[in-house]
Amino acid sequence: MAESSTVPLPTAAAVRLSGWLTHLGVSPLAFDDTLSLINPLLTVHRLNARIVGRQVETGTATTLVLQAGPAFKGLQPGQFVIVGVTINGVRHRRAYSPRAVEGHPNRIAITVQRQPGGVVSNHLNEHTRVGQFLEIEQAAGSFTLPSPLPAEVLLIAGGSGITPCMAMLEHLQRHFPRTKATLVYFARSRDDRIFAKALDKLAASWTGFQYRAIDSVANTQTDDSGRPSAADAGRAQQVLSADLLNQLVPNWTKVPAYCCGPTPLMDAARAIWQEAAFGNWKDGAAIKARLHLEAFTPPKPSGDPHARHEVKLTHHAVDKAFEAAGDQTILVASESAGQGLKHGCRQGICHECTCRLHSGSVRNLLSGERIDGEGQTIQVCVSVPMSDVHIESMA
């Protein structure tokens, strides 16, 4: 079916009609199903987007240009969008950081980096074609530029962590070119650097943009184990350091900083800012608060694979139980036991897997924090049990 450029039924009116029909027993999803027969982009509850463009960025990354419908509310640069895809009859959902496509309302671009063993990332790279539809959700997330905008920002990216940073850079260059922006981008090589040509062009055309591309695996994961390859191990590897930041942005402790990438890069940034804050008793809290982190893959659990902990799950007043190994997140353990919990990104970003921890202890893979159950909320996709636990689903 050809994509319609007009909206025969305004979104607001469609939402009101759906609410009225709900009182007559017509569910919102049934209403969406009817609209999708006319045009899948007209749905107002479960949103769809049509793939209108596809571009290979590197040997392991592909950009998909998506045209969303009028019910899509837009996004702030740096936010994520949950994308849903059905593979072999199973619906999967993952979070990606899109960029707005200038001059095309409700059009966004997501760049998907293949992950080792990644069911969704490999499927999107290999099997999606122009004209197909994907499910999407409204944009969300707080990894966004401050308001009002400061005079200067610092962006640090590793691998596919460039995607939210690129969204910010394009937004600044188009709408706030007087803002000074510095990007430090770690990748194994230029061939592995997503948006390499676009970043070169941006650096050449925007006088306020300082760009440092660093070929290094010290702050990037290069295989499923996170270890550098044998070929890379013999090379001197530059790392993110306070000395590097002092060279590029002498006032970096006073500038809002945004870091997105794999675990080694995130850990390095966190340690640098914590040390800077520790050495400044007067402004220490403000220094730490200026660093914003976004992980595209959580750290892998490093617990004892032979340890076993019982997870008691309460959902709608019904109790179920399953075991979790010491090297499994609660989400993975629930799926292995056939008790799959509701989830979205699997990365600790979207909070759709949030549960309440009533008893026992877990470790948060993103912060390293130990959480002892007293009714706190946890994200089961990044929580590893340290004892028997009792959780309650909030879905």
Side-chain angles (χ1 to χ4, degrees):
M1 177 181 296
E3 179 186 333
S4 174
S5 59
T6 60
V7 184
L9 184 64
T11 301
V15 172
R16 290 195 296 270
L17 177 59
S18 175
W20 180 72
L21 291 174
T22 298
H23 294 295
L24 300 179
V26 179
S27 73
L29 295 185
F31 180 74
D32 270 355
D33 288 341
T34 302
L35 288 179
S36 67
L37 295 176
I38 304 170
N39 186 333
L41 299 186
L42 297 181
T43 57
V44 295
H45 301 290
R46 186 169 55 199
L47 307 183
N48 297 296
R50 182 173 180 263
I51 302 174
V52 296
R54 191 176 190 278
Q55 177 178 328
V56 175
E57 300 288 352
T58 70
T60 58
T62 300
T63 290
L64 302 177
V65 181
L66 308 179
Q67 179 62 55
F72 184 68
K73 299 177 182 179
L75 58 97
Q76 297 181 53
Q79 287 189 309
F80 65 86
V81 166
I82 298 291
V83 174
V85 60
T86 300
I87 304 171
N88 296 327
V90 179
R91 185 168 176 263
H92 301 267
R93 299 160 73 240
R94 296 291 187 272
Y96 295 100
S97 298
R99 311 182 324 275
V101 178
E102 188 77 359
H104 297 274
N106 298 321
R107 185 168 293 188
I108 60 176
I110 62 170
T111 300
V112 183
Q113 171 81 51
R114 291 178 183 268
Q115 300 297 329
V119 174
V120 175
S121 64
N122 284 288
H123 175 86
L124 292 177
N125 270 274
E126 295 174 6
H127 300 295
T128 52
R129 298 291 181 268
V130 171
Q132 293 178 338
F133 287 88
L134 299 175
E135 288 187 15
I136 64 169
E137 299 181 14
Q138 299 290 0
S142 58
F143 191 74
T144 56
L145 294 167
S147 179
L149 271 174
E152 185 174 3
V153 295
L154 168 62
L155 307 177
I156 303 167
S160 60
I162 188 61
T163 53
C165 297
M166 191 64 174
M168 294 179 182
L169 288 171
E170 290 181 341
H171 175 75
L172 290 173
Q173 194 269 338
R174 290 167 183 161
H175 305 288
F176 303 94
R178 293 184 179 180
T179 301
K180 183 178 180 181
T182 297
L183 170 66
V184 184
Y185 184 13
F186 290 88
R188 292 187 63 185
S189 68
R190 179 175 174 82
D191 289 342
D192 297 296
R193 186 165 289 110
I194 300 171
F195 310 134
K197 292 182 179 179
L199 287 167
D200 289 342
K201 183 178 179 181
L202 199 63
S205 61
W206 181 14
T207 57
F209 178 42
Q210 179 181 203
Y211 175 37
R212 175 64 66 89
I214 298 176
D215 293 345
S216 174
V217 299
N219 291 137
T220 59
Q221 293 173 337
T222 60
D223 60 24
D224 200 25
S225 69
R227 295 185 296 269
S229 67
D232 291 319
R235 290 196 283 135
Q237 301 294 326
Q238 186 168 0
V239 299
L240 181 67
S241 66
D243 288 342
L244 175 64
L245 296 175
N246 286 330
Q247 174 189 345
L248 297 174
V249 188
N251 63 331
W252 60 271
T253 60
K254 299 180 180 179
V255 173
Y258 297 83
C259 179
C260 183
T263 303
L265 180 64
M266 307 282 280
D267 290 344
R270 189 180 289 111
I272 291 168
W273 263 261
Q274 286 178 345
E275 183 176 352
F278 182 76
N280 189 328
W281 64 269
K282 185 177 181 181
D283 198 34
I287 290 173
K288 290 178 65 176
R290 291 185 186 110
L291 175 64
H292 307 269
L293 299 169
E294 183 93 315
F296 62 78
T297 55
K300 293 189 176 182
S302 58
D304 181 2
H306 303 292
R308 292 292 183 272
H309 304 296
E310 183 183 74
V311 179
K312 178 182 176 182
L313 168 65
T314 300
H315 183 57
H316 295 316
V318 177
D319 291 336
K320 298 179 181 180
F322 54 89
E323 282 192 339
D327 63 346
Q328 285 183 315
T329 63
I330 294 176
L331 175 61
V332 169
S334 73
E335 292 173 333
S336 299
Q339 305 289 341
L341 290 158
K342 181 183 179 183
H343 64 277
C345 66
R346 305 179 73 93
Q347 301 163 223
I349 298 175
C350 73
H351 295 272
E352 290 214 15
C353 66
T354 297
C355 291
R356 196 170 298 282
L357 179 65
H358 289 295
S359 65
S361 301
V362 301
R363 185 171 301 283
N364 183 295
L365 291 176
L366 297 181
S367 67
E369 176 188 8
R370 172 180 172 142
I371 303 173
D372 297 313
E374 296 179 349
Q376 304 96 320
T377 57
I378 63 170
Q379 294 166 270
V380 296
C381 69
V382 290
S383 295
V384 177
M386 303 176 67
S387 67
D388 292 347
V389 298
H390 174 203
I391 61 174
E392 180 181 1
S393 172
M394 300 176 66

Coordinates of all heavy atoms in Angstrom, one line a residue, residues 265-317:
L265 N 34.5 2.2 28.7 CA 34.5 3.6 28.5 C 33.7 4.3 29.6 O 34.1 5.3 30.2 CB 33.9 4.0 27.1 CG 33.9 5.5 26.8 CD1 35.3 6.1 26.8 CD2 33.1 5.7 25.5
M266 N 32.5 3.7 29.9 CA 31.7 4.3 31.0 C 32.4 4.3 32.3 O 32.4 5.3 33.1 CB 30.4 3.5 31.1 CG 29.7 3.4 29.7 SD 28.8 4.9 29.3 CE 27.4 4.7 30.3
D267 N 33.1 3.2 32.6 CA 33.8 3.1 33.9 C 34.9 4.1 34.0 O 35.2 4.7 35.0 CB 34.4 1.7 34.0 CG 33.3 0.6 34.3 OD1 32.2 1.0 34.6 OD2 33.6 -0.6 34.1
A268 N 35.6 4.3 32.8 CA 36.7 5.3 32.8 C 36.2 6.7 33.1 O 36.8 7.4 33.9 CB 37.4 5.2 31.5
A269 N 35.1 7.0 32.4 CA 34.5 8.4 32.6 C 34.1 8.6 34.0 O 34.3 9.6 34.6 CB 33.4 8.6 31.6
R270 N 33.4 7.6 34.6 CA 32.9 7.7 35.9 C 34.0 7.9 36.9 O 34.0 8.7 37.8 CB 32.1 6.4 36.3 CG 31.3 6.5 37.6 CD 30.6 5.2 37.9 NE 29.4 5.1 37.0 CZ 29.4 4.1 36.0 NH1 30.4 3.3 35.8 NH2 28.3 4.0 35.3
A271 N 35.1 7.1 36.7 CA 36.3 7.3 37.6 C 36.9 8.6 37.5 O 37.3 9.2 38.5 CB 37.3 6.1 37.3
I272 N 37.1 9.2 36.3 CA 37.7 10.5 36.1 C 36.9 11.6 36.8 O 37.5 12.4 37.5 CB 37.8 10.7 34.6 CG1 38.9 9.8 34.0 CG2 38.2 12.2 34.3 CD1 38.9 9.8 32.4
W273 N 35.6 11.6 36.6 CA 34.8 12.6 37.2 C 34.7 12.5 38.7 O 34.7 13.5 39.4 CB 33.4 12.6 36.6 CG 33.2 13.6 35.5 CD1 32.7 14.9 35.6 CD2 33.7 13.5 34.1 NE1 32.7 15.5 34.4 CE2 33.3 14.7 33.5 CE3 34.3 12.5 33.4 CZ2 33.6 15.0 32.1 CZ3 34.6 12.7 32.1 CH2 34.3 13.9 31.4
Q274 N 34.7 11.2 39.2 CA 34.7 11.0 40.6 C 36.0 11.5 41.3 O 36.0 12.1 42.3 CB 34.5 9.5 41.0 CG 33.0 9.1 40.7 CD 32.9 7.6 41.0 OE1 33.8 6.8 41.1 NE2 31.6 7.2 41.1
E275 N 37.1 11.3 40.6 CA 38.4 11.8 41.1 C 38.4 13.3 41.1 O 38.9 13.9 42.1 CB 39.5 11.2 40.3 CG 40.9 11.6 40.9 CD 42.0 10.9 40.1 OE1 41.8 10.1 39.2 OE2 43.2 11.3 40.4
A276 N 37.9 13.9 40.1 CA 37.9 15.3 40.0 C 37.0 15.9 41.1 O 37.3 16.9 41.7 CB 37.4 15.8 38.6
A277 N 35.9 15.3 41.3 CA 35.0 15.8 42.4 C 35.6 15.6 43.8 O 35.4 16.5 44.6 CB 33.6 15.0 42.3
F278 N 36.3 14.5 44.0 CA 36.9 14.2 45.3 C 37.9 15.2 45.6 O 38.1 15.6 46.8 CB 37.5 12.8 45.3 CG 38.1 12.4 46.6 CD1 37.3 12.0 47.7 CD2 39.5 12.4 46.8 CE1 37.8 11.7 48.9 CE2 40.0 12.1 48.0 CZ 39.2 11.7 49.1
G279 N 38.6 15.7 44.6 CA 39.7 16.7 44.8 C 39.2 18.1 44.9 O 40.0 19.1 45.0
N280 N 37.9 18.3 44.8 CA 37.3 19.7 44.9 C 36.1 19.7 45.9 O 35.0 19.4 45.5 CB 36.8 20.1 43.5 CG 36.4 21.6 43.4 OD1 35.9 22.1 44.3 ND2 36.7 22.2 42.2
W281 N 36.4 19.9 47.1 CA 35.4 19.8 48.2 C 34.3 20.8 48.0 O 33.1 20.6 48.4 CB 36.0 20.0 49.5 CG 36.6 21.4 49.8 CD1 37.9 21.7 49.5 CD2 35.9 22.5 50.3 NE1 38.1 23.1 49.9 CE2 36.9 23.6 50.4 CE3 34.6 22.7 50.7 CZ2 36.6 24.8 50.8 CZ3 34.3 24.0 51.2 CH2 35.3 25.1 51.2
K282 N 34.6 22.0 47.4 CA 33.6 23.0 47.2 C 32.6 22.8 46.1 O 31.4 23.0 46.3 CB 34.3 24.4 47.0 CG 33.4 25.6 46.9 CD 34.2 26.9 46.7 CE 33.2 28.1 46.7 NZ 34.0 29.3 46.5
D283 N 33.1 22.2 45.0 CA 32.2 22.0 43.8 C 32.1 20.6 43.4 O 31.7 20.3 42.3 CB 32.8 22.8 42.6 CG 31.8 23.1 41.5 OD1 30.6 23.2 41.8 OD2 32.2 23.1 40.4
G284 N 32.5 19.7 44.3 CA 32.5 18.2 44.0 C 31.2 17.7 43.5 O 31.1 17.0 42.5
A285 N 30.1 18.0 44.2 CA 28.8 17.4 43.9 C 28.4 17.9 42.5 O 27.8 17.2 41.7 CB 27.8 17.8 44.9
A286 N 28.7 19.2 42.2 CA 28.3 19.8 40.9 C 29.1 19.2 39.8 O 28.6 18.9 38.7 CB 28.5 21.3 40.9
I287 N 30.4 18.9 40.0 CA 31.2 18.2 39.0 C 30.7 16.9 38.7 O 30.5 16.5 37.5 CB 32.7 18.1 39.5 CG1 33.3 19.5 39.6 CG2 33.5 17.2 38.6 CD1 34.7 19.5 40.2
K288 N 30.3 16.1 39.7 CA 29.8 14.7 39.4 C 28.4 14.8 38.6 O 28.2 14.0 37.8 CB 29.6 14.0 40.7 CG 30.9 13.5 41.4 CD 30.6 12.8 42.7 CE 29.9 11.5 42.5 NZ 29.8 10.8 43.8
A289 N 27.6 15.8 39.0 CA 26.3 15.9 38.4 C 26.4 16.4 36.9 O 25.4 16.2 36.2 CB 25.5 16.9 39.2
R290 N 27.5 16.9 36.5 CA 27.7 17.4 35.1 C 27.9 16.2 34.2 O 27.8 16.4 32.9 CB 28.8 18.4 35.0 CG 28.4 19.8 35.7 CD 29.5 20.8 35.5 NE 29.2 22.0 36.3 CZ 29.9 22.4 37.3 NH1 30.9 21.7 37.7 NH2 29.5 23.5 38.0
L291 N 28.3 15.1 34.7 CA 28.5 13.9 33.8 C 27.2 13.1 33.7 O 26.6 12.7 34.6 CB 29.6 13.0 34.4 CG 29.9 11.7 33.6 CD1 30.4 12.0 32.2 CD2 30.9 10.8 34.4
H292 N 26.8 12.9 32.4 CA 25.6 12.1 32.1 C 26.1 10.9 31.3 O 26.8 11.0 30.4 CB 24.7 12.9 31.3 CG 24.3 14.3 31.9 ND1 23.3 14.5 32.7 CD2 24.9 15.5 31.8 CE1 23.2 15.7 33.1 NE2 24.2 16.4 32.5
L293 N 25.6 9.7 31.8 CA 26.0 8.4 31.2 C 24.8 7.7 30.6 O 23.7 7.7 31.1 CB 26.6 7.5 32.3 CG 27.9 8.1 33.0 CD1 28.3 7.2 34.2 CD2 29.1 8.2 32.0
E294 N 25.1 7.1 29.5 CA 24.1 6.2 28.8 C 24.8 5.0 28.3 O 25.6 5.1 27.4 CB 23.4 7.0 27.6 CG 22.3 6.2 26.9 CD 20.9 6.6 27.5 OE1 20.8 6.6 28.8 OE2 20.0 6.8 26.7
A295 N 24.4 3.8 28.8 CA 25.0 2.6 28.4 C 24.2 1.9 27.3 O 22.9 1.8 27.5 CB 25.2 1.6 29.6
F296 N 24.8 1.5 26.2 CA 24.0 0.7 25.2 C 24.1 -0.8 25.4 O 23.3 -1.5 24.9 CB 24.4 1.1 23.8 CG 25.8 0.8 23.4 CD1 26.2 -0.5 23.1 CD2 26.8 1.8 23.4 CE1 27.5 -0.8 22.8 CE2 28.1 1.5 23.0 CZ 28.5 0.2 22.8
T297 N 25.0 -1.2 26.2 CA 25.0 -2.6 26.7 C 25.4 -2.7 28.1 O 26.4 -2.0 28.5 CB 26.0 -3.5 25.9 OG1 27.3 -2.9 25.9 CG2 25.5 -3.6 24.4
P298 N 24.6 -3.4 29.0 CA 25.0 -3.4 30.4 C 26.2 -4.3 30.6 O 26.5 -5.2 29.7 CB 23.8 -4.0 31.1 CG 23.2 -4.8 30.0 CD 23.4 -4.1 28.7
P299 N 27.0 -4.2 31.7 CA 28.1 -5.1 32.0 C 27.5 -6.5 32.1 O 26.4 -6.7 32.5 CB 28.6 -4.6 33.3 CG 28.1 -3.2 33.4 CD 26.8 -3.1 32.7
K300 N 28.4 -7.5 31.8 CA 28.0 -8.9 31.9 C 28.1 -9.3 33.4 O 29.1 -9.0 34.0 CB 28.8 -9.8 31.0 CG 28.5 -9.5 29.5 CD 29.1 -10.5 28.6 CE 28.7 -10.3 27.2 NZ 29.3 -11.3 26.3
P301 N 27.2 -10.1 33.9 CA 27.3 -10.5 35.3 C 28.6 -11.4 35.4 O 29.0 -12.2 34.5 CB 26.1 -11.4 35.5 CG 25.1 -10.9 34.4 CD 25.9 -10.5 33.3
S302 N 29.3 -11.2 36.5 CA 30.6 -11.9 36.8 C 30.5 -12.8 38.0 O 31.5 -13.2 38.5 CB 31.7 -10.9 36.9 OG 31.4 -10.0 38.0
G303 N 29.3 -13.1 38.4 CA 29.1 -14.0 39.6 C 29.4 -15.4 39.3 O 29.7 -15.8 38.1
D304 N 29.3 -16.3 40.3 CA 29.6 -17.7 40.2 C 28.5 -18.4 39.4 O 27.3 -18.4 39.8 CB 29.6 -18.3 41.6 CG 30.0 -19.8 41.6 OD1 30.1 -20.4 40.5 OD2 30.0 -20.3 42.7
P305 N 28.8 -19.0 38.3 CA 27.8 -19.6 37.5 C 27.2 -20.9 38.1 O 26.1 -21.4 37.7 CB 28.5 -20.0 36.2 CG 29.9 -20.1 36.6 CD 30.1 -19.1 37.6
H306 N 27.9 -21.4 39.2 CA 27.4 -22.6 39.8 C 26.5 -22.2 41.0 O 25.8 -23.1 41.5 CB 28.6 -23.4 40.3 CG 29.5 -23.8 39.2 ND1 29.2 -24.7 38.3 CD2 30.8 -23.4 39.0 CE1 30.2 -24.9 37.4 NE2 31.2 -24.1 37.8
A307 N 26.5 -21.0 41.4 CA 25.6 -20.6 42.5 C 24.1 -20.5 42.0 O 23.9 -20.2 40.9 CB 26.0 -19.2 43.0
R308 N 23.2 -20.8 42.9 CA 21.8 -20.8 42.6 C 21.0 -20.1 43.7 O 21.2 -20.3 44.9 CB 21.2 -22.3 42.5 CG 21.8 -23.1 41.3 CD 21.3 -22.5 40.0 NE 21.7 -23.3 38.8 CZ 22.9 -23.1 38.2 NH1 23.7 -22.1 38.6 NH2 23.2 -23.8 37.2
H309 N 20.2 -19.1 43.2 CA 19.3 -18.4 44.1 C 17.9 -18.5 43.7 O 17.6 -18.5 42.5 CB 19.7 -16.9 44.1 CG 21.2 -16.7 44.5 ND1 21.7 -17.0 45.7 CD2 22.2 -16.2 43.7 CE1 23.0 -16.7 45.7 NE2 23.3 -16.2 44.5
E310 N 17.0 -18.7 44.6 CA 15.6 -18.7 44.3 C 15.0 -17.3 44.2 O 15.2 -16.5 45.0 CB 14.8 -19.5 45.4 CG 13.3 -19.6 45.0 CD 12.5 -20.3 46.1 OE1 12.2 -19.6 47.1 OE2 12.1 -21.5 45.9
V311 N 14.3 -17.1 43.1 CA 13.6 -15.9 42.8 C 12.1 -16.2 43.0 O 11.5 -16.9 42.2 CB 13.9 -15.3 41.4 CG1 13.1 -14.0 41.2 CG2 15.4 -15.1 41.3
K312 N 11.5 -15.5 44.0 CA 10.0 -15.6 44.1 C 9.4 -14.4 43.5 O 9.7 -13.3 43.8 CB 9.6 -15.7 45.6 CG 8.1 -15.7 45.9 CD 7.8 -15.7 47.4 CE 6.3 -15.6 47.6 NZ 6.1 -15.6 49.1
L313 N 8.5 -14.7 42.5 CA 7.9 -13.6 41.7 C 6.4 -13.5 42.0 O 5.7 -14.5 41.9 CB 8.1 -13.9 40.2 CG 7.3 -13.0 39.2 CD1 7.7 -11.5 39.3 CD2 7.4 -13.5 37.8
T314 N 6.0 -12.3 42.4 CA 4.6 -12.1 42.7 C 4.0 -11.2 41.5 O 4.6 -10.1 41.3 CB 4.3 -11.4 44.0 OG1 4.8 -12.2 45.1 CG2 2.8 -11.1 44.2
H315 N 3.0 -11.7 40.9 CA 2.4 -11.0 39.7 C 0.9 -11.1 39.8 O 0.4 -12.3 39.8 CB 2.9 -11.5 38.4 CG 2.4 -10.8 37.2 ND1 2.6 -9.4 37.0 CD2 1.7 -11.2 36.1 CE1 2.0 -9.1 35.9 NE2 1.5 -10.1 35.3
H316 N 0.2 -10.0 40.0 CA -1.3 -10.0 40.2 C -1.7 -11.0 41.3 O -2.6 -11.8 41.1 CB -2.0 -10.4 38.9 CG -1.8 -9.4 37.8 ND1 -1.9 -8.0 38.0 CD2 -1.5 -9.5 36.5 CE1 -1.6 -7.4 36.8 NE2 -1.4 -8.3 35.9
A317 N -1.0 -10.9 42.4 CA -1.3 -11.7 43.7 C -1.0 -13.2 43.5 O -1.4 -14.0 44.3 CB -2.7 -11.4 44.1

